Amino acid sequence: MHDEHGVVAAAQLFKVLGNESRLQLLQLLGESPRTVGTLVEVTGMSQPLVSQHLRSLKQAGLVAADRHGKAMNYHLADDHVAHIVDDAIAHVEESHTTKAADRRPGRISP
Protein backbone atom coordinates (compact mmCIF):
# COMPACT_ATOMS: atom_id res chain seq x y z
CA MET A 1 0.00 0.00 0.00
CA HIS A 2 1.24 3.46 -0.90
CA ASP A 3 1.85 5.59 2.22
CA GLU A 4 0.00 8.74 1.15
CA HIS A 5 0.98 11.48 3.61
CA GLY A 6 1.64 9.10 6.49
CA VAL A 7 -1.68 7.26 6.33
CA VAL A 8 -0.06 3.90 7.03
CA ALA A 9 1.85 5.27 10.02
CA ALA A 10 -1.30 6.98 11.31
CA ALA A 11 -3.21 3.68 11.02
CA GLN A 12 -0.49 1.99 13.10
CA LEU A 13 -0.81 4.77 15.67
CA PHE A 14 -4.55 4.18 15.92
CA LYS A 15 -3.94 0.46 16.43
CA VAL A 16 -1.78 1.29 19.45
CA LEU A 17 -4.39 3.75 20.71
CA GLY A 18 -7.17 1.21 20.21
CA ASN A 19 -6.72 -0.27 23.67
CA GLU A 20 -8.63 1.02 26.69
CA SER A 21 -5.76 0.41 29.12
CA ARG A 22 -3.22 2.22 26.96
CA LEU A 23 -5.59 5.18 26.57
CA GLN A 24 -6.03 5.29 30.33
CA LEU A 25 -2.25 5.31 30.81
CA LEU A 26 -1.86 8.11 28.26
CA GLN A 27 -4.57 10.12 29.96
CA LEU A 28 -2.83 9.75 33.33
CA LEU A 29 0.57 10.62 31.87
CA GLY A 30 -1.02 13.69 30.30
CA GLU A 31 -1.82 14.90 33.83
CA SER A 32 1.72 14.40 35.13
CA PRO A 33 4.79 12.17 34.74
CA ARG A 34 4.49 8.96 36.73
CA THR A 35 6.44 5.87 37.67
CA VAL A 36 5.29 2.35 36.88
CA GLY A 37 4.48 1.88 40.57
CA THR A 38 2.23 4.93 40.62
CA LEU A 39 0.47 3.80 37.45
CA VAL A 40 -0.09 0.37 38.99
CA GLU A 41 -1.65 1.96 42.09
CA VAL A 42 -3.91 4.33 40.16
CA THR A 43 -5.10 1.87 37.51
CA GLY A 44 -5.25 -1.36 39.49
CA MET A 45 -3.44 -3.11 36.63
CA SER A 46 -0.60 -5.50 37.41
CA GLN A 47 2.98 -4.23 37.17
CA PRO A 48 3.85 -6.53 34.25
CA LEU A 49 0.77 -5.35 32.32
CA VAL A 50 1.54 -1.66 32.92
CA SER A 51 5.14 -2.24 31.83
CA GLN A 52 3.99 -4.08 28.69
CA HIS A 53 1.64 -1.26 27.73
CA LEU A 54 4.30 1.37 28.41
CA ARG A 55 6.72 -0.55 26.18
CA SER A 56 4.15 -0.52 23.34
CA LEU A 57 3.48 3.19 23.86
CA LYS A 58 7.19 3.95 23.93
CA GLN A 59 7.83 1.96 20.72
CA ALA A 60 5.04 3.94 19.05
CA GLY A 61 6.73 7.18 20.09
CA LEU A 62 3.85 8.24 22.33
CA VAL A 63 5.64 7.94 25.66
CA ALA A 64 9.17 8.75 26.81
CA ALA A 65 10.96 8.02 30.07
CA ASP A 66 13.55 9.78 32.22
CA ARG A 67 15.58 8.11 34.92
CA HIS A 68 15.50 9.75 38.34
CA GLY A 69 17.75 7.70 40.61
CA LYS A 70 16.43 4.16 40.50
CA ALA A 71 13.00 5.17 39.24
CA MET A 72 11.89 5.73 35.66
CA ASN A 73 9.41 8.55 35.22
CA TYR A 74 7.19 8.13 32.18
CA HIS A 75 5.65 11.11 30.40
CA LEU A 76 3.98 11.90 27.10
CA ALA A 77 6.43 12.29 24.24
CA ASP A 78 4.82 15.57 23.13
CA ASP A 79 1.67 17.68 23.33
CA HIS A 80 0.20 16.07 20.22
CA VAL A 81 -0.37 12.87 22.17
CA ALA A 82 -2.45 14.66 24.81
CA HIS A 83 -4.48 16.37 22.08
CA ILE A 84 -5.23 13.06 20.35
CA VAL A 85 -6.46 11.46 23.57
CA ASP A 86 -8.36 14.53 24.78
CA ASP A 87 -9.99 15.09 21.38
CA ALA A 88 -11.05 11.44 21.11
CA ILE A 89 -12.64 11.54 24.56
CA ALA A 90 -14.33 14.89 23.85
CA HIS A 91 -15.68 13.51 20.57
CA VAL A 92 -17.19 10.49 22.28
CA GLU A 93 -18.70 12.56 25.08
CA GLU A 94 -20.07 15.08 22.58
CA SER A 95 -21.52 12.29 20.44
CA HIS A 96 -23.10 10.70 23.52
CA THR A 97 -24.67 14.03 24.54
CA THR A 98 -26.01 14.63 21.03
CA LYS A 99 -27.55 11.16 20.86
CA ALA A 100 -29.20 11.65 24.26
CA ALA A 101 -30.65 14.98 23.11
CA ASP A 102 -31.96 13.34 19.94
CA ARG A 103 -33.90 10.82 22.06
CA ARG A 104 -35.79 13.49 24.02
CA PRO A 105 -39.57 13.44 23.52
CA GLY A 106 -40.78 16.00 21.01
CA ARG A 107 -37.35 16.33 19.38
CA ILE A 108 -37.55 16.61 15.60
CA SER A 109 -34.52 15.19 13.86
CA PRO A 110 -33.18 17.06 10.82
Side-chain angles (χ1 to χ4, degrees):
M1 177 178 192
H2 178 51
D3 186 7
E4 188 74 26
H5 304 288
V7 171
V8 172
Q12 287 300 115
L13 173 67
F14 281 111
K15 284 182 184 178
V16 173
L17 293 173
N19 177 280
E20 183 179 327
S21 296
R22 287 193 288 267
L23 280 177
Q24 182 183 20
L25 292 172
L26 289 172
Q27 193 174 33
L28 290 167
L29 293 174
E31 295 170 1
S32 65
R34 299 174 194 246
T35 63
V36 171
T38 304
L39 291 168
V40 167
E41 288 176 27
V42 173
T43 64
M45 287 185 255
S46 68
Q47 183 275 322
L49 185 57
V50 169
S51 294
Q52 179 183 10
H53 285 310
L54 288 172
R55 185 171 40 258
S56 295
L57 293 168
K58 197 171 177 187
Q59 288 172 345
L62 300 172
V63 168
D66 298 317
R67 181 170 294 283
H68 293 280
K70 292 182 179 182
M72 291 291 284
N73 275 342
Y74 290 86
H75 57 89
L76 297 182
D78 60 48
D79 290 338
H80 292 107
V81 178
H83 290 294
I84 292 168
V85 174
D86 292 344
D87 287 348
I89 292 169
H91 172 74
V92 170
E93 289 173 348
E94 181 179 284
S95 177
H96 178 71
T97 303
T98 302
K99 287 178 184 175
D102 287 344
R103 289 191 302 262
R104 285 192 308 228
R107 168 88 166 114
I108 300 172
S109 298

